């Protein structure tokens, strides 16, 4: 099989970012990268805030946040009245968990593809309330129908008080059939929280069509918003039950303002988020998505070939616009979280490449991303140099 052809570059794309040109930034999925124009929009808002803090925080800020929320909800295809801005997806998950009213005998159900920090949050809430956490094993090769059937078999109606399912997994870069899973859970009366940390900007989503009780996604990864910008979408029956992690002056206003208002939080990242959507739309949403997915597929093949991985053993992401790809590392490499972190640091130091090294199912994996500032030669260089680094241990 031939290596997929890399996409045509988007002219001038690298110049839109302030990234260090001496480093190959192949891990957009972890923290994103904010375009220079969006950075400047946020800085203008910070300048406004610092020029008169009292006026900034007390005259119209709640309305400005609500206007921004409506703009971002429209992009996501979500109900603005059911959408609250939060700092990140993990924060949104924590808000939902502590609002459920879990009790001894209840359980929260996840899969073994879930994000680590979300797992910690689930475990903490279970310890606090006496509930239990159970994770379903989903094989990496499972198709959509198999994923749905695994979830169906794992539900315990009456006991399972929440199912947490990823829309696009972080550890395994796999697109899950979120809407189908929500449908199955609804048949059994089980509420669903969709962790869509990577979805906004990357996937052509309409949140309302998924039908989840709760949906949370970051806009600071693939939608070019400043970091600390995410949306928590809550279905109507749950909105009055949602409580913020910290109570502040909008508490009596109800959801979503009671969740958004956190006193002297720096709200400029939220207010500048529409500038990120403007940048994305100016480049062309479909164009960016197709470019990034094709580039990630190219990187997966050239690096996989260099490591001796057969094309059939390179996991498929499950969707045509997924811009993250997974490559299995040699057996015995990066099989623990500490070893994975150490390998990622060595690759950064010795190969001048930022990548994500993951540990899942007792196996080390390399996760590569594609973004408009990346070029095929960055993956080619990694493919040439990585095998020697791994051989040295």
């Amino acid at each position: 099989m031939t290596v997929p052809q890399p996409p045509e570059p988007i002219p001038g794309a690298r110049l839109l970012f302030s990234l260090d040109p001496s480093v190959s930034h192949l891990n957009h999925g972890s923290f994103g990268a904010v375009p220079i124009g969006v950075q400047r929009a946020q800085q203008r808002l910070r300048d406004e805030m610092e020029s008169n803090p009292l006026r900034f925080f007390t005259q119209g800020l709640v309305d400005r946040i609500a206007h921004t929320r409506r703009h971002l909800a429209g992009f996501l295809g979500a109900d603005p009245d059911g959408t609250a801005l939060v700092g990140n997806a993990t924060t949104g998950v924590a808000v939902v968990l502590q609002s459920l009213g879990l009790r001894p005998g209840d359980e929260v159900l996840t899969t073994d593809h879930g994000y680590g920090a979300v797992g910690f949050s689930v475990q903490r809430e279970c310890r606090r309330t006496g509930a239990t956490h159970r994770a379903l094993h989903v094989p990496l090769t499972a198709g959509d129908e198999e994923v749905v059937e695994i979830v169906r078999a794992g539900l315990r109606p009456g006991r399972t008080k929440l199912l947490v399912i990823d829309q696009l997994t972080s550890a395994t870069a796999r697109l899950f059939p979120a809407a189908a899973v929500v449908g199955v859970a609804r048949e059994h009366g089980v509420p669903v929280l969709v962790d869509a940390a990577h979805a906004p900007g990357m996937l052509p989503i309409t949140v309302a069509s998924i039908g989840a009780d709760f949906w949370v996604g970051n806009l600071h990864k693939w939608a070019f918003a400043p970091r600390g910008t995410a949306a928590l979408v809550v279905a109507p029956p749950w909105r009055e039950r949602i409580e913020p992690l910290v109570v502040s002056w909008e508490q009596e206003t109800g959801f979503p303002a009671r969740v958004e208002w956190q006193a002297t939080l720096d709200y400029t990242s939220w207010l500048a988020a529409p500038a990120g959507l403007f940048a994305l739309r100016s480049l062309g949403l479909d164009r960016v998505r197709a470019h990034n997915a094709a580039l990630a597929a190219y990187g997966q093949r050239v690096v996989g070939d260099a490591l001796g991985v057969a094309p059939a053993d390179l996991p498929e992401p499950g969707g045509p616009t997924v811009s993250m790809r997974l490559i299995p590392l040699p057996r015995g490499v990066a099989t623990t979280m500490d070893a994975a972190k150490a390998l990622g640091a060595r690759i950064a130091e010795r190969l001048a490449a930022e990548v994500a090294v993951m540990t899942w199912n007792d196996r080390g994996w390399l996760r590569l991303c594609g973004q408009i500032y990346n070029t095929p030669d960055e993956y080619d260089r990694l493919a040439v140099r990585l095998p020697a680094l791994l051989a040295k241990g």
Side-chain angles (χ1 to χ4, degrees):
M1 297 176 64
T2 60
V3 175
Q5 289 298 306
E8 289 295 322
I10 297 178
R14 184 67 180 244
L15 299 177
L16 299 176
F17 299 85
S18 52
L19 295 166
D20 182 352
S22 68
V23 176
S24 295
H25 300 273
L26 307 179
N27 186 20
H28 185 89
S30 284
F31 297 103
V34 184
I36 294 170
V38 182
Q39 295 178 40
R40 290 173 177 169
Q42 184 180 16
Q43 187 57 53
R44 287 193 294 271
L45 288 161
R46 283 177 169 155
D47 291 343
E48 177 192 348
M49 176 173 62
E50 297 304 332
S51 69
N52 192 330
L54 186 65
R55 181 174 62 194
F56 181 86
F57 281 97
T58 63
Q59 296 184 24
L61 180 55
V62 172
D63 290 337
R64 292 172 76 175
I65 293 171
H67 176 76
T68 300
R69 176 206 312 142
R70 288 191 292 270
H71 187 103
L72 300 181
F75 173 75
L76 296 171
D79 179 1
D81 293 332
T83 302
L85 301 182
V86 292
N88 54 42
T90 310
T91 300
V93 170
V95 168
V96 171
L97 287 170
Q98 60 91 41
S99 298
L100 288 175
L102 294 172
R103 298 177 180 179
D106 294 342
E107 74 168 13
V108 177
L109 185 63
T110 65
T111 77
D112 57 358
H113 294 251
Y115 187 57
V118 169
F120 291 150
S121 190
V122 170
Q123 292 162 15
R124 186 189 69 170
E125 191 63 17
C126 287
R127 286 195 303 269
R128 191 180 71 82
T129 62
T132 58
H133 172 213
R134 186 163 54 95
L136 300 173
H137 173 61
V138 178
L140 190 60
T141 56
D144 287 355
E145 292 185 3
E146 185 178 356
V147 172
V148 171
E149 289 308 311
I150 289 171
V151 171
R152 187 194 304 274
L155 295 172
R156 295 174 178 172
R159 182 174 180 182
T160 306
K161 299 302 181 181
L162 183 70
L163 167 65
V164 183
I165 189 79
D166 292 73
Q167 189 163 3
L168 177 62
T169 66
S170 175
T172 56
R174 169 65 199 277
L175 185 66
F176 276 173
V181 169
V182 168
V184 166
R186 179 172 290 112
E187 293 173 4
H188 293 80
V190 175
V192 181
L193 165 59
V194 174
D195 180 356
H198 290 273
M202 184 200 294
L203 305 179
I205 56 172
T206 301
V207 173
S209 68
I210 297 171
D213 300 87
F214 315 98
W215 180 100
V216 63
N218 293 321
L219 288 105
H220 55 241
K221 290 183 182 287
W222 301 91
F224 292 158
R227 290 174 198 87
T229 306
L232 169 63
V233 184
V234 178
W238 292 94
R239 292 173 189 171
E240 291 307 310
R241 295 176 58 178
I242 296 297
E243 292 286 348
L245 298 177
V246 178
V247 173
S248 194
W249 286 102
E250 292 296 316
Q251 178 66 15
E252 298 305 313
T253 306
F255 183 87
R258 66 162 50 144
V259 170
E260 293 173 333
W261 189 259
Q262 298 290 300
T264 49
L265 185 74
D266 184 351
Y267 299 96
T268 61
S269 61
W270 297 356
L271 299 180
L277 299 186
F278 177 79
L280 190 57
R281 285 168 168 148
S282 297
L283 292 163
L285 270 169
D286 292 341
R287 180 190 190 195
V288 169
R289 287 168 176 156
H291 171 278
N292 293 348
L295 194 57
Y298 174 80
Q300 182 191 42
R301 280 295 302 276
V302 296
V303 176
D305 285 351
L307 296 180
V309 180
D313 294 329
L314 294 173
E316 288 292 331
T321 64
V322 175
S323 305
M324 304 192 299
R325 292 289 185 123
L326 212 60
I327 303 161
L329 292 171
R331 292 287 181 183
V333 174
T335 57
T336 67
M337 186 176 294
D338 287 343
K341 289 180 179 178
L343 177 57
R346 288 202 304 275
I347 293 172
E349 178 184 358
R350 301 179 188 179
L351 307 186
E354 296 290 354
V355 300
V357 181
M358 324 296 284
T359 299
W360 185 80
N361 202 24
D362 299 321
R363 182 79 187 266
W365 304 82
L366 183 70
R367 192 191 71 188
L368 296 179
C369 298
Q371 187 49 271
I372 59 171
Y373 51 72
N374 293 128
T375 56
D377 64 284
E378 293 179 301
Y379 305 91
D380 294 338
R381 289 197 300 270
L382 180 65
V384 170
R385 302 177 66 191
L386 182 59
L389 184 144
L390 294 178
K392 294 178 180 177

